[in-house]
Amino acid sequence: MPVRGFSRARPFLPMIIAVFFLSLITGFFVLQFRLVSKVLGGYESALQDTARRKVELYVDGLRAFAAHAARQAGGEAPALRDIASRDERVRGVRLVRPDGYVAAAVPGPQGYIYGGSPAFDRALAGEAFVAGGDAGQATVGAPVRDAAGRVTGVLLVDFSLAPFLNELTQEFYHRDYRIALADAGNRPLLWPFAREKLEAFASYEDRFDDGNARYRVGRVEIPHTSWQLYFFLRDYNFETQRVVTILVLLFALYFSLYEFLVGFLRASSINSYFEDVNFAVFNHLREGVIICNNLNRIVFANEAAQRFLAGYRPNLRGAKLEDILGPAGVEMGGENRKVLLRTGEDLLEVVSSPIFKEGRMLGSLVVLGPAAEQEKAAGQVLAKFFDISRDGLVYVDRNHQVAMANIMANCYLGPLEKGTHIREVEPRLAEALEENAGSHSLAKVDLGTSVSCEIAPVYDEQGRYTGALVLLRDTGDGGLAEGL
């Protein structure tokens, strides 16, 4: 009967598969995270560019309006009312001389010294500039030049920003992203959070906590203005999650590689796994003993195993276990297994068990011996022979205690209970058994009666004395043949 499902599946194939798939998964996650980061980065950049361009275009429109009005004014007092009526966003127009004197204003008084502002200062330097924003209103300063191109004054135009700020709020107010617009000194034109959060906001910080959400903060200055545009992007800790995930996968991959390399390098070395085992002890056992490593190769086989499996290979060490005992089937899984192996006319019982050391499976221990069924059948045959024999038969063990006796033996020697020492039944027979314990020939014993008694010592396959068979018969029937 061939062995099936006996040998444990090699641990290296699953380990190789695990390393392969961990490598694929790790590479996939690295590429995936890079792709997601690139997509998110591109999306955020596009969002910021859209907001920035929108504000810059609006600023360019304000500056163009103010510059055009300043060119029309020339060196004379402009028609301020006409300028104010051109755009519904205009809330006031002032013509200021270089010394700060307000030459004309619509609406409002004139003839006073203007206190100055960034828009006025930058316009005197020749640049159309936007500043302010308090109360939703900004001031645009544009230089007024004479025919020679010299700056003769500054035209200040006040604009209402309410429609534009409302438009920005509707377009860039989302759970994941928001924008804010502030003038110099962190005075807000547009603030997308609760008013009390403004006090906790610092323009130089790159993180902002809104209670239930955390945002990454980006900032950009708007050219030709005193404004700063702030971007608030929801922080989902993507980078941290990416790093942690990749580190976990790399750790699992490195651990698998370590286990594979260490196991592969040490699997064929018996000293690395079984350094505390005295293998010579196994040669004194009747059973065959085989020790395999994690590569399923035999690293030790005792003399009994060599004898049992001599028909397969003269030297078992180094051979693959499945080449001798049959193809590997079901993985052992850390459990004991027992199967039957037929070698010629003999039926062997093969028992395998995993070997663990410090919680780690090192290999397997295989024990071979005559099948219990075969021994049981032989015992049944012997018992049947005892029952039908016309002679008295007694089998005593090595301690000379009765192990088996038939009815005729009870008739010749009296009651023979199992386990009774033969000395209690027949002292002369006990002495004869002790004298012939090491003999290898048939011995006749004189019991001083009409019963003929002969002793046949019994030895196992290793030559060890295991007991004796005592044959009793009436002298009229004659003794046993010599050498039986």
Side-chain angles (χ1 to χ4, degrees), residues 182-237:
D183 188 26
N186 209 29
R187 295 188 299 269
L189 283 75
L190 175 64
W191 179 249
F193 303 102
R195 195 70 181 181
E196 57 270 15
K197 291 292 183 179
L198 181 61
E199 299 178 359
F201 175 67
S203 59
Y204 56 85
E205 294 181 352
D206 57 359
R207 291 290 188 275
F208 178 75
D209 192 356
D210 187 34
N212 297 328
R214 188 176 180 84
Y215 294 86
R216 290 180 287 110
V217 182
R219 62 188 58 81
V220 62
E221 293 186 356
I222 304 300
H224 309 293
T225 71
S226 60
W227 295 349
Q228 279 194 330
L229 183 62
Y230 294 92
F231 304 97
F232 297 88
L233 301 171
R234 186 79 173 268
D235 189 2
Y236 287 103
N237 297 319

Side-chain angles (χ1 to χ4, degrees), residues 51 54-55 58-59 62 89 130 132-138 159-173 179-183 187-192 195 227-229:
K54 193 175 188 67
V55 175
Y58 185 79
V59 167
L62 298 181
R89 298 172 297 175
V130 181
D134 292 343
Q137 185 171 295
F159 287 92
S160 172
L161 303 177
F164 176 66
L165 298 180
N166 290 335
E167 183 179 348
L168 287 180
T169 301
Q170 294 175 5
E171 186 172 351
F172 298 100
Y173 187 88
I179 65 171
L181 193 62
D183 188 26
R187 295 188 299 269
L189 283 75
L190 175 64
W191 179 249
R195 195 70 181 181
W227 295 349
Q228 279 194 330
L229 183 62

Side-chain angles (χ1 to χ4, degrees), residues 9-26 249 252-257 259-261 331:
R10 301 180 188 178
F12 293 101
L13 180 58
M15 186 64 69
I16 292 174
I17 295 175
V19 170
F20 175 73
F21 279 104
L22 278 175
S23 302
L24 285 182
I25 293 172
T26 303
L249 289 173
L253 178 60
Y254 292 155
F255 179 78
S256 299
L257 285 173
E259 288 292 317
F260 171 73
L261 292 176
E331 184 178 356

Side-chain angles (χ1 to χ4, degrees), residues 7 49 73 82 88 133 150 171 173 184 187 258 262 280 301 314 378 390 404 468:
S7 59
D49 288 342
D82 180 56
E88 61 182 8
R150 294 187 297 267
E171 186 172 351
Y173 187 88
R187 295 188 299 269
Y258 172 81
V262 171
R390 297 174 57 189
M404 186 180 298

Side-chain angles (χ1 to χ4, degrees), residues 37 103 184 287 291 306 338 384 406 425:
S37 296
E287 294 79 10
I291 296 179
Q306 296 281 1
K338 181 168 67 175
K384 188 65 176 177
N406 64 358
V425 179

